[in-house]
């Protein structure tokens, strides 16, 4: 699997998620399409999605419900595409959507592996490959980044780090779509800054590639520790997303 193939697969999946074409992400001009969650979209996507803005670094592809199209189109025409994902400009979109009962909700940066950088990293602790059957007792807050209790059926593979038989770090991946598996990782606080997270992340990525799937990694823009782990593990920034949700959904999440 080459870096070019990995990027192509990611864009094809984003196209399924947004109801657009993969080549739309390579255009120099912005693209707006009708929001629709199809059967091949990422499995955790749920309606309603008023608008979702995605950029692979060339433009914005916006998947938008018809009633918000004019708002989003006006916003994207007003600012350079990469400024649309940051404050203070983002507040203009949020203010316009708020009048319609919607709010900007999710903002995230996604990483893909660089085959030239990805390699097994040394770890001072024992590492074990884990499968779905091994996760049953691990759905607790400690491992909530590596595993998702709400979508247990998607957690398919993991690697654990152990000290004298005690689990001290865990990287897990969920089969979010047919071609791509998402990696999350947790390390106990007292064992951080020892290279465990990057060793787990990188090795799990290699295991995923061996299974002919594309690993990907997501981080909030403010989570510097997570972004550093992605880079150290052999990943590089690939695309960004900003998603609006109904105001009630945002308020529930903030309670």
């Amino acid at each position: 699997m080459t870096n070019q193939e990995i990027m192509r697969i990611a864009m094809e999946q984003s196209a399924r998620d947004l109801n657009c074409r993969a080549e739309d992400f390579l255009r120099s001009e912005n693209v707006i399409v009708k929001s629709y969650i199809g059967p091949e979209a990422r499995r955790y996507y749920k309606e309603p999605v008023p608008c979702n803005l995605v950029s692979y670094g060339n433009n914005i592809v916006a998947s938008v419900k018809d009633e918000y199209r004019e708002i989003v189109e006006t916003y994207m025409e007003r600012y350079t595409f990469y400024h649309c994902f940051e404050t203070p400009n983002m507040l203009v979109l949020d203010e316009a959507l708020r009048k319609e009962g919607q709010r900007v909700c999710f903002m995230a940066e996604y990483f893909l592996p660089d085959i030239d950088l990805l390699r097994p990293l040394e770890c001072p602790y024992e590492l074990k490959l884990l499968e779905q059957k091994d996760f049953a007792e691990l759905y607790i807050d400690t491992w909530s980044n590596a595993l998702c209790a709400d979508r247990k059926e998607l957690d398919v593979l993991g690697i654990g780090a152990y000290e004298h038989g005690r689990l001290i770090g865990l990287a897990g991946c969920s089969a979010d779509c047919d071609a791509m598996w998402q990696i999350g990782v947790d390390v106990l606080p007292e064992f951080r800054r020892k290279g465990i997270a990057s060793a787990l992340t990188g090795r799990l990525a290699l295991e995923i590639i061996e299974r002919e799937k594309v690993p990907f990694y997501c981080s909030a823009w403010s989570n510097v520790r997570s972004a550093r782990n992605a880079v150290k593990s052999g990943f590089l920034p690939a695309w960004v997303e900003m998603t609006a949700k109904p105001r009630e959904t945002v308020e529930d999440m903030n309670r």
Side-chain angles (χ1 to χ4, degrees), residues 19 22 174 202:
N19 190 35
S174 57

Side-chain angles (χ1 to χ4, degrees), residues 44 89 98 170 188 202:
Y44 55 82
N89 300 346
R98 182 165 56 181
L170 175 65
L188 297 183

Side-chain angles (χ1 to χ4, degrees), residues 141-155:
D141 288 345
T142 303
W143 313 117
S144 60
N145 288 312
L147 302 172
C148 181
D150 293 334
R151 303 189 296 269
K152 294 180 181 179
E153 71 281 1
L154 298 183
D155 293 330

Side-chain angles (χ1 to χ4, degrees), residues 9-254:
I9 291 170
M11 287 185 177
E12 288 175 349
Q13 183 57 50
S14 290
R16 298 184 187 100
D17 296 338
L18 268 65
N19 190 35
C20 68
R21 298 178 299 177
E23 55 264 33
D24 288 337
F25 300 108
L26 299 174
R27 294 185 180 183
S28 58
E29 69 276 6
N30 294 328
V31 177
I32 298 182
V33 297
K34 184 182 178 68
S35 178
Y36 168 71
I37 298 178
E40 295 182 305
R42 274 180 266 174
R43 296 183 174 106
Y44 55 82
Y45 273 24
K46 296 180 180 179
E47 293 280 11
V49 181
C51 74
N52 193 9
L53 276 58
V54 175
S55 178
Y56 275 81
N58 302 295
N59 66 347
I60 297 174
V61 178
S63 181
V64 185
K65 294 291 186 185
D66 288 340
E67 55 266 41
Y68 311 116
R69 181 184 178 99
E70 185 177 352
I71 290 174
V72 175
E73 189 170 23
T74 300
Y75 175 68
M76 293 194 304
E77 288 175 351
R78 184 172 177 180
Y79 304 108
T80 305
F81 75 91
Y82 49 84
H83 288 310
C84 289
F85 293 86
E86 63 185 13
T87 56
N89 300 346
M90 184 189 71
L91 300 178
V92 173
L93 177 63
D94 184 68
E95 181 67 24
L97 288 174
R98 182 165 56 181
K99 295 175 182 177
E100 303 296 327
Q102 313 298 322
R103 299 296 303 270
V104 172
C105 184
F106 298 120
M107 299 171 62
E109 183 173 18
Y110 288 84
F111 298 76
L112 290 172
D114 186 316
I115 295 300
D116 298 324
L117 300 175
L118 192 65
R119 66 192 186 281
L121 298 176
E122 292 298 322
C123 182
Y125 300 95
E126 179 187 8
L127 301 182
K128 293 182 182 179
L129 186 66
L130 305 174
E131 298 179 343
Q132 195 171 56
K133 59 181 174 57
D134 302 311
F135 299 147
E137 305 301 321
L138 300 179
Y139 287 98
I140 57 177
D141 288 345
T142 303
W143 313 117
S144 60
N145 288 312
L147 302 172
C148 181
D150 293 334
R151 303 189 296 269
K152 294 180 181 179
E153 71 281 1
L154 298 183
D155 293 330
V156 293
L157 194 68
I159 294 182
Y162 294 83
E163 182 190 51
H164 308 305
R166 176 194 178 198
L167 183 64
I168 60 170
L170 175 65
C173 65
S174 57
D176 291 347
C177 39
D178 290 341
M180 301 180 70
W181 292 0
Q182 182 171 189
I183 295 177
V185 62
D186 290 292
V187 176
L188 297 183
E190 63 268 33
F191 290 93
R192 292 171 185 165
R193 297 185 179 274
K194 296 184 178 182
I196 299 173
S198 56
L200 292 172
T201 302
R203 290 182 186 230
L204 183 55
L206 290 168
E207 291 286 345
I208 293 170
I209 290 174
E210 283 189 12
R211 289 157 177 77
E212 299 183 344
K213 307 293 183 181
V214 171
F216 70 105
Y217 185 102
C218 178
S219 172
W221 291 348
S222 59
N223 194 339
V224 175
R225 183 171 62 193
S226 181
R228 284 178 176 170
N229 175 60
V231 173
K232 186 176 180 181
S233 303
F235 285 70
L236 291 176
W239 79 94
V240 294
E241 297 191 13
M242 184 168 69
T243 308
K245 286 282 189 177
R247 180 176 55 210
E248 295 79 9
T249 300
V250 175
E251 291 174 351
D252 286 343
M253 295 177 68
N254 282 332

